[in-house]
Amino acid sequence: MKKRIFIFLIVLALFFLVLSSKLVLSQETEATFKDYIFSASTYQSDLEKFILARGKYLNFKSISSEAEAVFAAKSLLNSKISFISKYLAALKSKLALETKINGYQENLLYLQLDSEISSLLNTKELVSGSLTLSDLDKIDLELGEKYKNVQKLSFKTLGIISCRQIINLITQVSDQVVLLEGQLEPSSDLEFNSEVVKRRLTEIKQEIAAQNKKINELERMFSETVGSNEEPKKVFNDLNGNLSKIKLTILSWFPNLEEILVLISREK
Amino acid sequence: MKTEKKLLMGICISLFFVLLLLLIVAQGKSKKGILSPALIPTGPQALISIKPIPSENPEIFSIKEQLIKLKVKTQKLEEEKSSLLPPEISFGLGIKP
């Protein structure tokens, strides 16, 4: 008896451990997102300070106003780099949460996001070593070039996250449909026409399979196109348009499923 | 031997309660709101998130509850996506040396 209690407690403890690890991941995503929002406000305030210092420098062209502008530009560049890094960290965390980094593509994206963050840290070192406004301007323009790649990578990651979110949703709806089907099976003391319900459930299952196929195809096409020379934002928006249609289709399943539920619960 | 067993049982039981407590605390924290207040359902979404009255069959009730959750989750997807779009940033200091 004691042995059984012991085994039960061990299983329960393991269950809680698995559950809490999932919670930790979602809390990590939340924390990185908060960091990102905070870095956005720091960037905004540093931008305002720099605009003031730049105005002074352009008006007076004195040594002290130049020193002030250099200081403000350094702060601005540092907070800009932090802003981009925090954004990438939030995206990375979201990718981990939604995809669990199971496949090759997610793994590659995760590593690319990591490498972009490291590369940004190198730029930060360049900023602290610069002494003139022209050097800082050059670094900022180079950062702008780097940011084009960051944007491309971000849209690709967001596209994959969006596809996976919809795939997860479809899987969860499909699980509920299977459970509903289970309600129809052996207990067959159902008086109502279960054939009609079965047919409607089969129709929904067929639609689920069709949408699953469609989204997998969309994900494949998106990955191929976003890597080419096409404008990443445009490719992402096109994908979103198609995903919105799928989302509407998913939403159209719910009234049907609710009706089926009502029919079954009335008879049970 | 008996004392060892009792000790082991005691450890297991206390571990169980500690984990339970941690889980409750973690769940409480996660319910405070993920990402942004914009994701808290308002208007029609808030109405949808009202829990259904438990029907007699617990299995059907659970399916119903899950379907409602999935419906809300589907509607929320768009907002979550827009909060993670890459920020618009301008480059170049605008100073002619």
Side-chain angles (χ1 to χ4, degrees):
Chain A
M1 185 64 188
K2 274 184 180 176
K3 203 179 171 185
R4 276 186 187 171
I5 294 171
F6 182 70
I7 292 168
F8 171 74
L9 283 171
I10 293 285
V11 170
L12 223 76
L14 283 172
F15 170 74
F16 279 120
L17 274 176
V18 170
L19 211 69
S20 55
S21 71
K22 205 181 165 189
L23 277 170
V24 164
L25 198 61
S26 79
Q27 279 173 7
E28 196 187 298
T29 310
E30 202 181 334
T32 52
F33 190 79
K34 276 180 185 164
D35 276 355
Y36 164 54
I37 298 295
F38 180 72
S39 68
S41 62
T42 315
Y43 168 67
Q44 273 306 320
S45 99
D46 281 344
L47 182 64
E48 280 160 23
K49 282 176 196 163
F50 171 71
I51 290 169
L52 280 175
R54 183 180 62 185
K56 249 188 203 173
Y57 167 70
L58 291 174
N59 279 336
F60 306 113
K61 297 266 182 185
S62 64
I63 295 170
S64 67
S65 66
E66 189 179 357
E68 211 179 299
V70 168
F71 180 76
K74 274 188 174 186
S75 300
L76 173 69
L77 280 179
N78 279 326
S79 59
K80 195 183 275 185
I81 292 166
S82 292
F83 184 32
I84 302 170
S85 310
K86 300 282 178 194
Y87 166 70
L88 289 175
L91 202 60
K92 205 177 81 171
S93 196
K94 185 78 180 160
L95 178 74
L97 182 73
E98 297 294 343
T99 68
K100 314 281 178 288
I101 319 287
N102 283 332
Y104 169 76
Q105 199 175 22
E106 297 93 282
N107 241 308
L108 188 67
L109 277 173
Y110 195 86
L111 291 175
Q112 282 175 330
L113 288 168
D114 244 354
S115 116
E116 286 296 338
I117 294 171
S118 317
S119 150
L120 285 168
L121 287 175
N122 290 339
T123 314
K124 225 172 188 175
E125 278 172 27
L126 283 178
V127 172
S128 55
S130 300
L131 297 169
T132 62
L133 275 175
S134 60
D135 282 350
L136 290 167
D137 192 37
K138 204 177 150 195
I139 293 171
D140 198 25
L141 290 171
E142 278 170 10
L143 186 64
E145 285 306 309
K146 223 178 240 182
Y147 191 63
K148 283 179 191 163
N149 283 332
V150 168
Q151 276 182 315
K152 203 170 183 175
L153 188 62
S154 311
F155 281 119
K156 190 172 182 177
T157 312
L158 277 175
I160 300 297
I161 290 173
S162 306
C163 289
R164 294 303 159 84
Q165 280 177 328
I166 302 261
I167 290 171
N168 285 342
L169 263 173
I170 293 178
T171 312
Q172 286 174 54
V173 174
S174 171
D175 289 346
Q176 298 308 312
V177 171
V178 171
L179 286 173
L180 262 176
E181 263 188 331
Q183 293 294 312
L184 289 174
E185 275 161 10
S187 60
S188 254
D189 53 340
L190 302 176
E191 298 281 321
F192 74 109
N193 193 355
S194 66
E195 281 308 311
V196 177
V197 175
K198 270 184 187 169
R199 202 172 55 235
R200 286 177 75 175
L201 280 175
T202 312
E203 278 168 14
I204 294 177
K205 274 171 87 179
Q206 280 166 352
E207 264 193 71
I208 287 174
Q211 294 306 319
N212 240 334
K213 198 178 166 192
K214 208 171 175 179
I215 198 160
N216 280 312
E217 182 65 16
L218 273 175
E219 191 184 334
R220 191 187 58 78
M221 272 169 59
F222 172 74
S223 303
E224 283 170 7
T225 331
V226 84
S228 66
N229 286 328
E230 287 249 18
E231 177 68 32
K233 195 174 181 177
K234 191 190 163 292
V235 182
F236 177 72
N237 286 339
D238 288 347
L239 173 81
N240 260 340
N242 286 317
L243 289 181
S244 295
K245 281 179 201 161
I246 295 179
K247 205 182 102 174
L248 286 177
T249 313
I250 297 174
L251 283 171
S252 75
W253 296 339
F254 291 108
N256 265 332
L257 288 168
E258 277 158 22
E259 265 179 48
I260 293 169
L261 259 173
V262 170
L263 274 173
I264 296 174
S265 56
R266 235 185 243 162
E267 296 298 323
K268 281 222 158 186
Chain B
M1 193 61 187
K2 262 188 177 178
T3 329
E4 278 177 2
K5 269 187 182 176
K6 274 183 186 171
L7 194 71
L8 201 63
M9 283 288 285
I11 291 169
C12 286
I13 291 167
S14 48
L15 186 73
F16 165 70
F17 281 111
V18 167
L19 282 171
L20 196 68
L21 196 73
L22 274 175
L23 188 80
I24 291 165
V25 170
Q27 269 182 333
K29 270 189 180 176
S30 71
K31 275 178 187 170
K32 274 182 187 171
I34 188 158
L35 301 184
S36 75
L39 295 184
I40 298 166
T42 49
Q45 280 186 14
L47 286 174
I48 292 163
S49 62
I50 293 169
K51 281 191 176 182
I53 302 157
S55 71
E56 280 172 26
N57 188 331
E59 283 168 7
I60 298 224
F61 173 69
S62 140
I63 297 171
K64 203 172 183 177
E65 214 178 25
Q66 283 303 314
L67 285 175
I68 290 171
K69 275 183 193 165
L70 288 171
K71 194 174 174 179
V72 175
K73 212 171 161 185
T74 316
Q75 286 164 334
K76 271 186 192 173
L77 280 180
E78 213 68 40
E79 296 167 50
E80 236 180 273
K81 208 183 294 166
S82 56
S83 65
L84 273 173
L85 283 174
E88 293 291 332
I89 304 172
S90 58
F91 294 92
L93 296 178
I95 292 173
K96 285 181 185 170

